[in-house]
């Protein structure tokens, strides 16, 4: 213990201290910077109010300025409506006199949003000729007085305007204190089709669509049940959109539900363009490369998740539903695993785990073996690889980067290529360029194999977004391998493990059931055990009801 | 409770924690260390005997910790012997953990320099390793225990495969004669086996983190039993495979054993690479465990927040790793740690238990 190290060592010790400190400051700074857009940090905002029940028009607190109340004076209200939204050329005001009671009334609607002109005519005919004072009285409106399936009162003029522009038919009658909203909007809809991002060979060929009510009805149509509960919310400060939380009332953990409700009600953004917006605004750690919310287009996936005690979040205007919480292993599960028999499914699932590992590590391993430790691979293999690399003028990192980046570009371009050109470009890009690059001596043929296998592996992951994460991390791993070889690769693996163990999705540790270890959930991890053995719901979700079968 | 906010670990996690703390550098060095002292093939007897003694020690440590549920040694030592002596004892323990952490990193760096990254400056290996460890330790005991849970099955599996494959070199004659020179060599070997079990002092804090401290004795015995068994297996396989003479002359006998045979037709012809991988991971676990204990101790003794302490300890650990000049100094540091562990054992669990017994049973005081 007599040796005192030199100043260089103390300098390095200083660096040793500085780096984590700086990293921490950077992390905290970034976190608060990114987090400042989130309402979770700013408790004062309250832009979405929960509204129990599907009738969306009753819901909602409007953005500032304060909503304008109905004055009760027909002419004043009408002129206010005309002055605020009357300039829209697609808005129609149909003024008429109700003949029986001799009152003025106006029907306000937007072009193309009402499904049936006949119906409009009928409504008009009814209102003009048949409506009596009695049916318009307070009891009559709530009771059977009016022949409309959907009818609600707008609480204030601002909401009335918004609803009319959203597609409701608005009715303003002289002598009534409030405006009425009749006939929900019926916008155009595409036909339901197979989910594009999650195609399966076996399983229902039905995907969600862009209309929220269609999506909720698809979920309802999965089977007879009275425990599936859907609660709608509205979020968005500028343009409001409906969000629906779906869960099984007697299965879901109430604390989890409360947590999700809190986070949803704190959404603070002017417009939710896609469910990805919600995902990014409610996730636990937004600096993590790993997604903490699962997205899916498949109703069967959603309903199975609900039965596991998880919660689905559906947004109007997108076919992608969100499922929370999610763990790492769930990203590697495909619904098909359960539809096919257990033995092949288990094998395929393990294959997927192996593919994930390859997609993450293969290039890093290549770099560390070729550049640092050729002695660790079998001698003949090492010799043949080195022989093929003789003409390559770059170190293996550059070589791998060249090919990996070209593959990534090809992939990115492939999404945008027009359908008839796509496969042709794939062949040109993949085969011809690969072959030419080998012949030109830019890359070695062995590397082409490695990169191709990596690329194919990353496509075998059922969740597209999980594949994106791995693509990103692969390059980080290559960086580690380039600096420290095998040691760096192991360090990279340990860092990912450290990160994953710290990560949580809505309170569920991301690596459950591997660690924390939950043996009973292992039956659906690497293996997909026979259905007869899957008697219980996942323990990690801490469900109210744990038995799947009696 | 859906979201857990308490920092507790399960019994399995505690056992794995202990195992991953103890199982480390010894895998590569233990056969030589013991054989140098014993000089007969009876090293395995020393390891077994050492293991039994350590198990008794572990039981004692758990028993004393169980008297203070939810409290770590850094908190209850002061209550037994008074605040200042308790703090001094605990600071000694923290120092011990720091030296151990530095030692683990240094041996890791030496092995990496020797086998994987020749010619790399040593700080380039040590620094990233410490930083990665800092990231993990920052996450608290739960993250650490979870990472251990991932690493543990991988290491055990690969270690077992390595030893199973090396069985073809195994020659029972290398282990004979048993007790040829009497019992004395075995006793002499005991001292060097202490080093490989050093680190089991983490029990003194680990029990406080257990969800059910009542199961601690069983849990910890399992936790220490696995490394005892693995070390025994290591010594038997290495000495049986290489013979006592070559074990003494080799720096890293276990790697030499694994290197000395080839499996043709397999992806890796030699198992040395997977062994290195799991050993590196195991060293990472070791290091993180000691790092965590040291930072926890310091923060509890000085009543500081744990996160600044972690940063503070980073350069300290780095310097403690750089103090030995050569590999041989690293090994002598190892011996020093073994002796220090022995002293600490006498000071902490034994002394504390005796004083505690006297005060509660003899003087009927309420501690």
């Amino acid at each position: 213990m007599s040796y005192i190290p030199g100043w260089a060592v103390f300098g390095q010790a200083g660096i040793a201290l500085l780096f984590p400190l700086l990293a921490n400051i950077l992390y905290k700074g970034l976190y608060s910077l990114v987090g400042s857009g989130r309402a979770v940090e700013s408790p004062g905002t309250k832009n979405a109010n929960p509204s129990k029940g599907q009738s969306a028009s009753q819901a909602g607190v409007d953005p500032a300025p304060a909503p304008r109340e109905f004055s009760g004076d027909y002419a004043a209200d009408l002129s206010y409506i005309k002055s605020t939204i009357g300039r829209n050329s697609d808005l129609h005001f149909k003024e008429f006199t109700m003949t029986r009671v001799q009152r003025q009334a106006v029907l306000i609607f937007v072009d193309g949003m009402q499904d049936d002109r006949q119906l409009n005519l009928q409504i008009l005919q009814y209102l003009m000729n048949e409506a009596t004072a009695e049916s318009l009285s307070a009891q009559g409106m709530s009771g059977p007085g009016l022949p409309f399936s959907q009818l609600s009162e707008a609480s204030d003029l601002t909401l009335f305007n918004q609803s009319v522009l959203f597609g409701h038919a608005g009715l303003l009658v002289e002598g009534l204190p409030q405006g009425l909203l009749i006939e929900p909007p019926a916008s155009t809809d595409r036909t339901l089709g197979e989910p594009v991002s999650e195609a399966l060979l076996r399983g229902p060929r039905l995907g969600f669509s862009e209309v929220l009510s269609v999506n909720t009805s698809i979920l309802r149509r999965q089977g007879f049940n009275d425990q599936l509960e859907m609660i709608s919310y509205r979020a968005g400060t500028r343009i409001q959109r409906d969000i629906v939380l779906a869960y099984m009332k007697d299965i879901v953990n109430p604390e989890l539900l409360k947590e999700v409700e809190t986070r949803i009600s704190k959404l603070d953004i002017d417009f939710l363009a896609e469910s990805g917006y919600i995902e990014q605004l409610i996730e636990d750690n937004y600096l993590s490369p790993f997604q903490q919310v699962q997205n899916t287009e498949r109703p069967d996936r959603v309903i199975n998740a609900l039965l596991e005690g998880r919660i689905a979040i559906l947004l109007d205007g997108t076919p992608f539903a969100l499922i929370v919480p999610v763990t790492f292993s769930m990203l590697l599960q495909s619904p098909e695993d359960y539809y096919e028999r257990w033995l092949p499914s288990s094998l395929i699932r393990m294959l997927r785990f192996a593919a994930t590992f390859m997609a993450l590590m293969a290039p890093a391993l290549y770099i560390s073996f070729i550049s640092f430790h050729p002695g660790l691979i079998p001698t003949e293999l090492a010799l043949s690889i080195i022989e093929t690399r003789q003409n390559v003028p770059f170190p293996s990192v550059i070589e791998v980067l060249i090919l990996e980046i070209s593959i990534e570009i090809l992939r990115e371009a492939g999404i945008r290529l027009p359908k008839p050109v796509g496969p042709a470009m794939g062949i040109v890009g993949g085969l011809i360029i690969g072959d030419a690059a080998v012949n030109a001596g830019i890359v070695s043929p062995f590397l082409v194999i490695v990169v191709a296998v990596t690329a194919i592996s990353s496509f075998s992951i059922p969740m597209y977004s999980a594949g994106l994460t791995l693509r990103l991390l692969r390059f980080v791993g290559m960086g580690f391998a380039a600096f420290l070889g095998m040691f760096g690769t192991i360090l990279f693996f340990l860092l990912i493990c450290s990160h994953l163990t710290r990560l949580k999705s809505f309170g569920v540790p991301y690596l459950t059931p591997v660690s924390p270890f939950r043996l009973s959930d292992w039956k659906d991890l690497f293996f997909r055990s026979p259905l007869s053995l899957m008697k219980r719901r996942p323990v990690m979700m801490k469900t109210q009801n744990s038995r799947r079968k009696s | 409770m859906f979201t857990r906010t308490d920092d507790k670990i399960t019994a399995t996690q505690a056992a794995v924690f202990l195992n991953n703390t103890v199982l480390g550098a010894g895998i590569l060095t233990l056969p030589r260390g013991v054989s140098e002292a014993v000089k007969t093939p009876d090293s395995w007897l020393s390891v077994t005997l050492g293991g039994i003694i350590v198990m008794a020690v572990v039981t004692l440590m758990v028993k004393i910790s169980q008297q203070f549920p939810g409290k770590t040694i850094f908190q209850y030592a002061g209550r037994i012997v008074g605040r200042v002596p308790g703090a001094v004892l605990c600071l000694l323990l923290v120092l011990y953990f720091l030296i151990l952490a530095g030692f683990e990193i240094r041996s890791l760096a030496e092995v990496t320099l020797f086998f994987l990254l020749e010619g790399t400056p040593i700080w380039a290996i040590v620094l990233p390793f410490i930083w990665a460890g800092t990231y993990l330790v920052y996450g608290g005991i739960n993250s650490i225990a979870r990472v251990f849970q991932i690493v543990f099955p991988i290491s055990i599996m690969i270690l077992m495969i390595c030893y199973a494959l090396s069985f073809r070199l195994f020659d029972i004659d290398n282990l004979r004669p048993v007790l040829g020179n009497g019992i004395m060599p075995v006793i002499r070997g005991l001292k060097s086996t202490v080093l490989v079990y050093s680190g089991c002092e983490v029990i003194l804090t680990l029990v406080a983190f257990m969800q059910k401290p009542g199961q601690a004795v069983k849990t910890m015995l399992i936790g220490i039993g696995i490394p005892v068994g693995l070390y025994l297996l290591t010594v038997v396989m290495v000495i049986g495979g290489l013979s006592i003479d070559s074990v003494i002359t080799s720096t890293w006998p276990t790697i030499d054993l694994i290197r000395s045979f080839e499996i043709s037709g397999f992806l890796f012809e030699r198992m040395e690479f997977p062994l290195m991988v799991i050993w590196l991971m195991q060293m990472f676990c070791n290091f993180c465990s000691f790092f965590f204990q040291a930072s926890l101790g310091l923060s509890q003794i000085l009543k500081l927040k744990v996160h600044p302490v972690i940063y503070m300890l980073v350069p300290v650990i780095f310097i403690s790793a750089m103090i030995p000049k050569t590999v041989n100094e690293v090994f002598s540091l190892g011996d020093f740690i073994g002796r220090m562990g022995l002293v600490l054992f006498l000071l902490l669990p034994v002394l504390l238990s005796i004083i505690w017994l006297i005060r509660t049973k003899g003087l009927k005081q309420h501690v």
Side-chain angles (χ1 to χ4, degrees), chain A residues 127-310:
Chain A
L127 288 170
M128 289 172 77
N129 303 327
E130 293 166 35
T132 58
E134 176 183 71
S135 64
L136 287 172
S137 67
Q139 305 94 339
M141 276 192 302
S142 52
L146 293 175
F148 310 127
S149 61
Q150 284 229 3
L151 180 138
S152 58
E153 284 179 29
S155 55
D156 56 69
L157 270 167
T158 317
L159 179 67
F160 185 77
N161 283 351
Q162 285 176 1
S163 307
V164 167
L165 287 179
F166 188 66
H168 290 270
L171 178 65
L172 210 58
V173 182
E174 190 184 358
L176 279 187
Q178 278 167 324
L180 302 179
L181 296 169
I182 53 180
E183 291 302 313
S187 60
T188 49
D189 186 13
R190 70 171 165 96
T191 50
L192 296 178
E194 204 177 343
V196 181
S197 70
E198 290 164 282
L200 290 184
L201 279 177
R202 182 163 183 181
R205 305 232 178 276
L206 180 67
F208 283 129
S209 84
E210 279 80 4
V211 183
L212 183 63
S213 56
V214 174
N215 293 347
T216 51
S217 70
I218 291 177
L219 278 186
R220 293 267 184 219
R221 284 291 303 277
Q222 298 283 323
F224 290 99
N225 174 272
D226 61 348
Q227 294 297 329
L228 173 60
E229 199 163 76
M230 297 191 189
I231 302 228
S232 90
Y233 288 80
R234 231 171 225 204
T237 49
R238 182 59 55 191
I239 302 178
Q240 296 202 324
R241 257 191 172 173
D242 285 327
I243 301 171
V244 164
L245 281 193
Y247 52 89
M248 301 300 285
K249 204 163 51 179
D250 59 344
I251 296 176
V252 72
N253 184 301
E255 279 184 45
L256 172 66
L257 181 62
K258 219 172 146 203
E259 176 66 33
V260 176
E261 278 175 342
T262 324
R263 292 196 197 182
I264 290 285
S265 66
K266 282 181 180 168
L267 285 176
D268 179 15
I269 193 165
D270 61 348
F271 177 53
L272 294 163
E274 215 269 342
S275 53
Y277 278 50
I278 303 183
E279 172 180 350
Q280 293 166 62
L281 289 172
I282 64 172
E283 65 190 354
D284 294 62
N285 180 349
Y286 32 96
L287 290 182
S288 166
F290 290 90
Q291 62 182 109
Q292 297 130 56
V293 177
Q294 187 178 7
N295 58 67
T296 181
E297 282 189 85
R298 299 193 66 90
D300 53 336
R301 205 167 197 159
V302 171
I303 201 78
N304 279 316
L306 297 187
L307 284 171
E308 286 177 353
R310 297 156 74 198

Side-chain angles (χ1 to χ4, degrees), chain A residues 107-152:
Chain A
L107 190 67
I108 312 165
F109 57 90
V110 175
D111 247 355
M113 295 281 227
Q114 294 296 316
D115 53 350
D116 202 355
R117 283 299 156 87
Q118 286 310 110
L119 204 62
N120 260 338
L121 286 180
Q122 280 177 9
I123 292 171
L124 272 180
Q125 201 165 21
Y126 167 81
L127 288 170
M128 289 172 77
N129 303 327
E130 293 166 35
T132 58
E134 176 183 71
S135 64
L136 287 172
S137 67
Q139 305 94 339
M141 276 192 302
S142 52
L146 293 175
F148 310 127
S149 61
Q150 284 229 3
L151 180 138
S152 58

Side-chain angles (χ1 to χ4, degrees), chain A residues 36-113:
Chain A
S36 57
R38 281 161 52 122
V40 182
E41 258 73 33
S42 51
T45 52
K46 214 169 174 253
N47 291 298
N49 258 16
S51 72
K52 304 276 171 184
Q54 276 283 29
S55 167
S57 48
Q58 290 165 355
V61 169
D62 300 288
R68 161 105 175 211
E69 296 294 325
F70 279 101
S71 64
D73 179 15
Y74 170 73
D77 285 341
L78 182 58
S79 72
Y80 174 76
I81 295 171
K82 277 193 172 162
S83 70
T84 47
I85 59 173
R87 270 180 64 85
N88 290 304
S89 50
D90 57 346
L91 191 70
H92 296 282
F93 291 83
K94 176 73 185 168
E95 290 186 62
F96 55 91
T97 313
M98 298 170 91
T99 47
R100 286 211 176 181
V101 288
Q102 282 305 317
R103 284 190 199 169
Q104 286 291 317
V106 61
L107 190 67
I108 312 165
F109 57 90
V110 175
D111 247 355
M113 295 281 227

Side-chain angles (χ1 to χ4, degrees), chain A residues 303-325:
Chain A
I303 201 78
N304 279 316
L306 297 187
L307 284 171
E308 286 177 353
R310 297 156 74 198
I311 296 175
I313 303 167
L314 291 88
L315 178 71
D316 196 19
T318 174
F320 284 92
L322 303 178
I323 307 174
V324 291

Side-chain angles (χ1 to χ4, degrees), chain A residues 327-333 353 510-513 524-525 540:
Chain A
T327 64
F328 185 72
S329 62
M330 287 173 191
L331 299 178
L332 299 184
Q333 295 171 351
F353 273 92
Y510 205 58
L511 281 184
T512 352
D524 195 16
L525 180 65
M540 58 179 136

